[in-house]
Amino acid sequence: MNRVARRLVDSPEGVAGLCLLVLLAAMALAAPLLYPGDPLAIVGRPLTAPFTDAGLPLGTDRLGRDVLAGLMHGARASLLVGLATALVALTAGALVGTLAGLAGGLVDEALMRVVDAFQIVPAFLLALAFVSVAGASLSVIVFAIALGAWTGPARLARAEVLSIRERDYVAAARVIGMHPAEIALREVLPNALPPVLALTAVIVATAVLVEAALSFLGLGDPNVVTWGSMIAEGRNVLRTAPHLSIVPGLGLVATVLGVYLLGEGLANAMAAREGRG
Amino acid sequence: MHRALILTRRRIVSSIPVLLIVIVGTFLLLESAPGDAVDAYLVSLGGGDAGLVTELRQSYGLDQSPFKRLTLYVSALARFDLGWSVAFDRPVLGLIVERLPNTLWLMGAATALAFSLGSLLGIVAGARPGSLTDRALSIGSLALYAVPSFWLGLVLVLVFAVDLRWFPTAGIETIASGKTGLARVADIAWHLALPVSALGFIYLALFLRMMRTGMAEAWRQDFVLFARAKGLARRRIVLRHVARNALLPLVTMLGLQAAAMLGGSVVVESVFAIPGFGRLAHEAVAGRDAPLLTGIIIVSAVLVIVVNLMVDIAYAALDPRVGSGEASS
Amino acid sequence: MAVLPISRRKLLLSTGALAATGWMSRAAWAEDTPSGGRLVVAADSEPRTLNPAIVASNGVFFIASKVIEPLAEAMMDGEGGLAPRLATSWEGSEDGLSITFKLREGVTWHDGEPFTSADVAYSAMQVWKPLQNLGRVVFANLDTVEAPDAHTAIFRFSAPTPIQLVRNALPVVTSVLPKHLYEGTDIAANPANKALVGTGPFKFAEHRPGEYYRLTRNDAYWGEGLPKLDEIVFRVLPDRAAAASALEAGEIHLAAFSQVPLVDLERIAKVPGLKVVTEGYEALTYQLVVEINHRNEILADRNVRQAISHAIDRDFVVDTVFLGYAQAATGPVPQNAPQFYNPDVPAHPFDVERANALLDEAGYPRGGDGIRFSLRLLPAPFFSETRQFGDYLRQALGKVGIDVTLVNNDTPAHLKAVYTDHDFDIAVGSPVFRGDPAISTTILVQSGIPDGVPFSNQGGYANAELDTIIDQAAETIDTEARTALYNDFQRMVVDDLPLINVAEWGFTTVASDTVLNVGNNPRWPVSNWADTALTS
């Protein structure tokens, strides 16, 4: 694993991605320290231009809320949405995939048809319908986006499990009488997991973007600032105050870029290890 | 051709249980929704008394039990009857048939744009992996991918429609123009230029990166090394050997992206006021129109299945190594 | 030609002045204005049914009012605020048991059939009274409609019905349908609900779903020299930014009902060739209110409600949420309803200290974290202003120690939560004032309304005294006595605060300079546009 890390640090993509994400994480972590209050609090004159007031470096929005405070707290919420979605989707996907792969037969068939059903329904439609029905709160939004994201991991996990369960060490475990559940958890899952984890980057990036699109359609959580909600609100004043949507937009670009670059760096580093190993 | 037929039949059979799961799932989801079609309708009325509310619920059959409504719906569906839209007060099938072509045009053109431009730029980037051009293209396309489609759409409208006035701001064709034939096709194309760009540019990155990765791998393969050893021109190697091999996975990608694009069209169609399928879906959700939303989801599922089938057939034709057995998911 | 945006406050002051200085009469305009042309207008939604006799709502009227006419229309300086349309005169009997309408002669339906009193009788008895959302209230006691001749209709009521109410409701509830197309059919499913047939200045031509509605000139219209336009196209533009872009690009001529967001108005007023018009919404006032669930025992305390009212800075709301295009409210009847408005009510000015004191007094001291209690706030999703006010209210109540959680629902879910399930503590609502308290305001505070009736008192508030006044007013025929009852009503509502009125707003229209006669009556966007014209 160490070698992978070193290789990662050697590749320019990996370094750039890592830097971006560390910066964003720092912003997210520092938000409650630098801006301990509610980022939705009305603190100044509405639509103060950026760089005109030292106390409000990025100005204020339509209701007089601090844009910089929103940006930093938004980093927190947006990254949280991304990571939580990835966690839910990967856990659900890995479990279903492993179960299907290990059980085989009718269970496998049934589970994979469910996976198919989720896969052929456009993920955004599913998220839209689910959030409309369950009400827009951050946890519902995470769950809704995960609904469309868990099928990829499930398929991949199943494929991995199918190839792993024929391998010698699994056969050996079976011979010494290990319980199937124990085999699954001890032997199969840990080996099937790494390729599945590689999907994290795509899921995080997609989740952040889907949250923005839901906010655009008026289905965001009003108690939380996210970059998506800032962009959606800022678009009404795109002509008069373009920074209101561009600033959080840059945050979004930085996140997606960071996640993808890091993902790519990691993939390269791991490929290199396998290639040599 | 025989292989394609087997593949098709196999797919149709395996799709039936999947579609059933989709139908029941959609029905259950809307059943658990707070507020029904009558609630949604009452807002447009600006209110009404209790008698009116009860009468409306009765007339839409919303006072019946959920199970009864589901069985009624599924049995009607078996007769290819998609039911009656509450929000539009019209048959669902008619609505879908009316809206689907617009979305197919939008998706088709956006896919074509993303695929052709993406693979082209991917070839440029992959021709010299690690070069400055490669890095710039890679990061630039990713940045585009990170832009929310509604925002990109709005900016395109402001620049190219409001300021430059090259394209119209919204709509699918000039209103009541009476244009026919080729003139109408040109008119629709002119209207679709901006929405297609907004949707296509976002997916460009995916094709570009896939092409690039594929090419980077191909460079390391034996036959390419052999070609290089033979001293073939670099340009020839890039196009003949490297790019050609890298193209195949992109075809698979086309199928995978069909569902995503259909979802993306919801937002783009709202921004550009295109009377398409995605916008219809949004209206169905907002109107709690269960028959319409279920119809939309079924049709889009069928659409995705068909696109994937076509991709698999194309793949099988392109790559003789793939047999019909392997291609089924 | 560009008209500068006038703030609502200024506008309300000047409405009277306009009448005094002689607002150019319709006839004068008809002489000078050019004819012909196609007017393209932004529409933000497509109503499910277009029939204004069944669905009396602004969304339907916006399109249908050009095709189907009411008996009378609202007017800035007309007698009693009304201009005759299909009726030329109306008179109520002293006992309040009958009203006689004289109908216009020489009017034909778009299909060539003559318009007669039979059409009015049919519409009233078969549609307005049993089917229409508002007609069910206004015509609740309507017994029969007699038609002694082809151009007289006598409405007979089983219980006294105030002529004041009927008069105020005329523009909204009396869209006349052609009997010969509806009789003997299932009214709700009649194809004429979509392809309208009326007597108005424009005929319904086509509807391309998701794209546009097209209306064409009715050459046989009864108004001489009218209409001016050849065609009106309502272009469907669901996104709020789309209307502004399309206006600037010259693709549409007009966007009404504030389809151009308020924040964009200042900029767009400066765009050459476009004007912002605030007139034309005087009889279409929307009210911003805080709805209260009185089942919550904290909120059942009048002191707490009063504290909430004191915590709201109404001027901030008007200036920031509405950017000046609104007016702070003083009570349940808006100020531009001079017939009923009572300024003599208790005031609840913005006063954080007083709010805090009231809450302390009510027995809710601040806890260690500065919080007295928590509430769930459901802002109505109908307008961006209602949502933004929700954002503001959360902050404003936070300052007096009330912790507020916003619950964001889409439209059907909001209706279900507030009006059927009562699953809220406070909500932001936007009722419409329709010219008479009996068809717009009393329902918000009256008790005994069944669950599930939207935009009504679902907060569990019950005040016997108030109910008595409402019942009395419903059957008081004498206009003065009835008005006096509504004055008491307003005082009691503001005193006891079953709900909190925050602001009142009309909308704005943005139009190209080439469009003439914009906003020249108090229900302009939902009137017939016969005199609207385009200069080339």
Side-chain angles (χ1 to χ4, degrees):
Chain A
M1 224 46 201
N2 239 343
R3 207 182 292 168
V4 173
R6 204 171 312 131
R7 258 181 241 291
L8 179 70
V9 177
D10 280 346
S11 76
E13 284 101 354
V15 174
L18 210 57
C19 286
L20 275 174
L21 287 181
V22 166
L23 189 76
L24 290 170
M27 261 172 77
L29 291 175
L33 302 174
L34 291 175
Y35 292 95
D38 183 350
L40 287 167
I42 294 162
V43 294
R45 215 162 38 80
L47 290 176
T48 305
F51 313 121
T52 53
D53 184 336
L56 303 164
L58 289 180
T60 59
D61 73 356
R62 177 103 167 62
L63 279 182
R65 297 175 290 210
D66 188 346
V67 175
L68 184 59
L71 185 71
M72 299 194 55
H73 281 268
R76 213 177 157 74
S78 293
L79 291 180
L80 191 73
V81 167
L83 290 174
T85 306
L87 187 71
V88 174
L90 289 175
T91 312
L95 282 178
V96 172
T98 311
L99 189 62
L102 282 178
L106 214 58
V107 176
D108 180 27
E109 187 66 21
L111 284 175
M112 288 329 278
R113 288 295 84 82
V114 174
V115 169
D116 280 345
F118 273 90
Q119 206 155 31
I120 57 171
V121 176
F124 187 72
L125 268 189
L126 197 59
L128 179 75
F130 190 80
V131 175
S132 306
V133 162
S137 72
L138 218 50
S139 49
V140 168
I141 291 170
V142 163
F143 190 73
I145 304 174
L147 273 183
W150 67 278
T151 52
R155 260 179 207 296
L156 203 57
R158 175 173 171 271
E160 287 293 320
V161 168
L162 284 183
S163 86
I164 289 170
R165 77 171 185 181
E166 301 311 325
R167 287 188 197 159
D168 299 344
Y169 55 87
V170 178
R174 217 175 277 140
V175 168
I176 60 168
M178 242 167 141
H179 191 269
E182 206 179 345
I183 301 179
L185 287 176
R186 281 260 182 99
E187 306 293 334
V188 180
L189 202 57
N191 288 297
L193 218 46
V196 177
L197 284 180
L199 289 172
T200 312
V202 191
I203 297 177
V204 170
T206 313
V208 173
L209 287 170
V210 170
E211 195 278 329
L214 287 173
S215 288
F216 165 78
L217 294 175
L219 292 169
D221 184 339
N223 298 293
V224 185
V225 210
T226 65
W227 288 335
S229 68
M230 289 175 82
I231 298 174
E233 245 180 68
R235 88 196 166 99
N236 283 326
V237 282
L238 198 55
R239 302 300 289 276
T240 39
H243 67 279
L244 287 183
S245 48
I246 290 175
V247 167
L250 288 177
L252 222 55
V253 171
T255 311
V256 173
L257 218 53
V259 162
Y260 260 88
L261 289 177
L262 184 69
E264 189 152 302
L266 260 177
N268 287 344
M270 275 160 74
R273 183 187 67 156
E274 270 170 30
R276 305 274 164 89
Chain B
M1 206 56 229
H2 180 60
R3 204 160 56 184
L5 274 178
I6 295 175
L7 196 59
T8 310
R9 202 172 54 209
R10 203 194 261 262
R11 274 305 165 79
I12 291 174
V13 171
S14 69
S15 302
I16 291 170
V18 177
L19 282 175
L20 262 176
I21 297 175
V22 170
I23 293 165
V24 175
T26 312
F27 189 86
L28 288 179
L29 182 64
L30 280 174
E31 197 51 49
S32 57
D36 58 19
V38 169
D39 285 311
Y41 177 47
L42 283 169
V43 176
S44 69
L45 287 182
D49 61 19
L52 182 69
V53 174
T54 324
E55 280 166 34
L56 282 171
R57 290 233 154 80
Q58 273 165 2
S59 73
Y60 297 132
L62 288 173
D63 52 344
Q64 291 171 1
S65 78
F67 183 74
K68 182 149 184 225
R69 274 181 288 139
L70 177 64
T71 40
L72 277 177
Y73 185 79
V74 174
S75 66
L77 202 63
R79 285 174 272 123
F80 293 99
D81 176 3
L82 285 176
W84 190 265
S85 157
V86 181
F88 289 84
D89 204 11
R90 291 180 54 194
V92 169
L93 191 64
L95 271 164
I96 289 177
V97 167
E98 195 174 272
R99 304 286 183 105
L100 194 58
N102 292 336
T103 299
L104 289 181
W105 282 121
L106 176 66
M107 272 175 58
T111 309
L113 176 78
F115 182 79
S116 56
L117 202 61
S119 50
L120 203 72
L121 291 176
I123 292 174
V124 173
R128 288 178 194 280
S131 69
L132 202 64
T133 328
D134 175 26
R135 294 242 146 92
L137 279 174
S138 189
I139 289 186
S141 69
L142 262 187
L144 265 182
Y145 177 73
V147 176
S149 56
F150 65 87
W151 198 82
L152 185 62
L154 289 171
V155 170
L156 287 176
V157 167
L158 289 183
V159 175
F160 294 102
V162 176
D163 290 340
L164 295 172
R165 300 210 182 179
W166 290 354
F167 298 102
T169 58
I172 180 84
E173 60 182 311
T174 306
I175 280 173
S177 64
K179 283 180 180 156
T180 50
L182 221 55
R184 181 160 178 239
V185 172
D187 187 46
I188 292 178
W190 182 55
H191 276 80
L192 281 179
L194 292 182
V196 163
S197 309
L199 194 57
F201 276 129
I202 285 163
Y203 293 100
L204 180 98
L206 298 177
F207 290 104
L208 187 151
R209 295 172 65 73
M210 198 148 189
M211 186 77 195
R212 194 195 145 271
T213 315
M215 284 188 67
E217 264 163 30
W219 277 115
R220 286 198 291 268
Q221 285 182 13
D222 297 342
F223 64 94
V224 176
L225 292 175
F226 180 68
R228 288 178 82 176
K230 256 190 356 190
L232 284 178
R234 191 179 173 89
R235 190 187 179 81
R236 201 182 147 98
I237 300 174
V238 166
L239 293 179
R240 273 279 176 84
H241 298 283
V242 180
R244 204 170 155 190
N245 260 284
L247 206 59
L248 222 45
L250 263 73
V251 177
T252 321
M253 184 79 168
L254 275 179
L256 291 176
Q257 283 311 305
M261 277 231 184
L262 208 54
S265 67
V266 176
V267 169
V268 171
E269 284 171 1
S270 289
V271 171
F272 289 96
I274 294 171
F277 207 55
R279 209 174 100 199
L280 193 66
H282 186 204
E283 286 165 333
V285 172
R288 292 288 187 280
D289 193 338
L292 181 57
L293 188 69
T294 317
I296 287 170
I297 289 186
I298 291 168
V299 172
S300 55
V302 169
L303 195 70
V304 171
I305 291 173
V306 169
V307 169
N308 277 303
L309 179 67
M310 274 160 36
V311 164
D312 284 345
I313 293 173
Y315 197 92
L318 283 176
D319 187 350
R321 279 171 304 179
V322 179
S324 57
E326 262 178 286
S328 78
S329 50
Chain C
M1 185 67 208
V3 175
L4 288 172
I6 316 172
S7 85
R8 286 285 305 170
R9 258 172 285 182
K10 249 193 238 160
L11 172 77
L12 291 160
L13 290 174
S14 63
T15 327
L18 271 176
T21 54
W23 181 257
M24 275 188 160
S25 72
R26 277 165 49 93
W29 275 114
E31 296 292 317
D32 311 337
T33 43
S35 298
R38 173 198 277 178
L39 181 73
V40 186
V41 184
D44 63 353
S45 64
E46 295 163 275
R48 195 172 81 79
T49 165
L50 265 187
N51 189 334
I54 299 177
V55 180
S57 77
N58 289 336
V60 170
F61 284 135
F62 185 48
I63 294 160
S65 61
K66 285 77 191 158
V67 182
I68 292 186
E69 292 183 298
L71 294 176
E73 180 55 278
M75 195 178 179
M76 299 256 194
D77 52 356
E79 200 192 322
L82 287 174
R85 283 286 187 268
L86 288 177
T88 51
S89 72
W90 41 90
E91 210 181 320
S93 66
E94 299 239 321
D95 56 7
L97 291 174
S98 76
I99 300 175
T100 306
F101 290 92
K102 285 283 174 202
L103 304 177
R104 193 174 292 279
E105 300 186 19
V107 177
T108 55
W109 294 99
H110 292 157
D111 60 4
E113 296 285 318
F115 158 77
T116 68
S117 51
D119 295 312
V120 175
Y122 177 81
S123 301
M125 292 309 297
Q126 304 301 321
V127 187
W128 304 341
K129 180 184 174 184
L131 299 177
Q132 190 194 85
N133 51 335
L134 295 175
R136 293 166 86 107
V137 179
V138 177
F139 296 116
N141 297 322
L142 181 64
D143 236 4
T144 54
V145 176
E146 289 167 18
D149 65 58
H151 298 100
T152 307
I154 304 169
F155 285 47
R156 298 216 179 271
F157 297 91
S158 58
T161 298
I163 178 81
Q164 187 187 30
L165 168 63
V166 175
R167 231 175 26 216
N168 288 334
L170 279 182
V172 182
V173 302
T174 61
S175 302
V176 185
L177 297 181
K179 180 185 179 187
H180 64 277
L181 292 181
Y182 279 89
E183 196 175 29
T185 69
D186 176 3
I187 295 172
N190 195 299
N193 292 341
K194 281 171 183 153
L196 302 174
V197 175
T199 58
F202 296 93
K203 296 184 194 178
F204 185 86
E206 64 171 328
H207 173 211
R208 290 279 296 266
E211 291 187 76
Y212 62 85
Y213 294 89
R214 192 163 60 87
L215 312 180
T216 54
R217 185 175 201 277
N218 172 14
D219 295 322
Y221 187 57
W222 53 265
E224 209 171 312
L226 297 173
K228 292 293 169 190
L229 296 164
D230 283 341
E231 230 175 38
I232 303 177
V233 169
F234 290 90
R235 189 165 163 192
V236 181
L237 296 171
D239 189 62
R240 278 170 72 84
S245 300
L247 272 167
E248 279 192 83
E251 291 174 22
I252 60 171
H253 296 109
L254 190 139
F257 282 115
S258 300
Q259 269 213 70
V260 175
L262 292 175
V263 275
D264 225 16
L265 281 184
E266 195 183 337
R267 187 187 61 79
I268 216 158
K270 292 184 192 131
V271 173
L274 293 181
K275 58 185 172 187
V276 175
V277 182
T278 53
E279 294 94 339
Y281 296 93
E282 292 74 7
L284 299 172
T285 306
Y286 280 66
Q287 297 172 290
L288 185 71
V289 303
V290 180
E291 293 166 297
I292 290 166
N293 194 346
H294 296 260
R295 294 176 188 85
N296 179 324
E297 62 180 44
I298 300 174
L299 294 169
D301 184 338
R302 199 187 73 99
N303 278 342
V304 173
R305 302 198 295 270
Q306 202 183 329
I308 292 175
S309 190
H310 279 299
I312 299 170
D313 183 352
R314 289 175 172 75
D315 290 331
F316 180 90
V317 173
V318 167
D319 291 339
T320 307
V321 175
F322 291 98
L323 295 158
Y325 293 94
Q327 196 174 22
T330 61
V333 171
Q335 284 139 87
N336 61 357
Q339 227 184 113
F340 296 104
Y341 175 64
N342 179 8
D344 183 25
V345 295
H348 303 290
F350 175 51
D351 187 343
V352 175
E353 265 175 52
R354 178 107 182 82
N356 276 318
L358 279 166
L359 289 169
D360 288 336
E361 208 177 295
Y364 299 103
R366 282 178 190 266
D369 48 2
I371 293 173
R372 301 173 189 275
F373 52 86
S374 297
L375 295 177
R376 281 155 42 88
L377 167 60
L378 277 67
F382 315 138
F383 300 99
S384 57
E385 287 79 14
T386 48
R387 283 192 169 184
Q388 267 175 3
F389 174 68
D391 291 344
Y392 164 76
L393 191 58
R394 175 168 183 255
Q395 300 300 326
L397 294 183
K399 290 214 173 90
V400 296
I402 303 175
D403 174 53
V404 171
T405 306
L406 284 166
V407 180
N408 194 4
N409 282 321
D410 73 352
T411 298
H414 178 79
L415 249 68
K416 174 91 164 137
V418 175
Y419 301 108
T420 303
D421 295 345
H422 312 136
D423 182 19
F424 72 108
D425 295 319
I426 49 179
V428 175
S430 58
V432 194
F433 188 77
R434 298 196 184 87
D436 196 290
I439 48 171
S440 32
T441 313
T442 53
I443 192 174
L444 302 172
V445 295
Q446 205 169 2
S447 70
I449 295 169
D451 292 357
V453 178
F455 313 119
S456 69
N457 170 21
Q458 293 293 344
Y461 178 74
N463 181 334
E465 216 182 326
L466 207 54
D467 287 345
T468 313
I469 292 189
I470 293 169
D471 292 341
Q472 267 181 335
E475 50 198 35
T476 302
I477 303 142
D478 180 59
T479 300
E480 243 170 73
R482 186 167 179 265
T483 309
L485 283 170
Y486 281 126
N487 276 339
D488 292 343
F489 167 83
Q490 290 171 64
R491 200 173 314 117
M492 287 178 64
V493 167
V494 178
D495 186 57
D496 203 37
L497 291 174
L499 49 72
I500 299 169
N501 282 80
V502 178
E504 296 146 16
W505 84 98
F507 295 94
T508 54
T509 305
V510 179
S512 155
D513 285 343
T514 56
V515 189
L516 305 180
N517 293 348
V518 177
N520 60 2
N521 74 56
R523 295 175 74 241
W524 187 76
V526 295
S527 67
N528 69 14
W529 291 6
D531 63 346
T532 306
L534 273 174
T535 56
S536 42

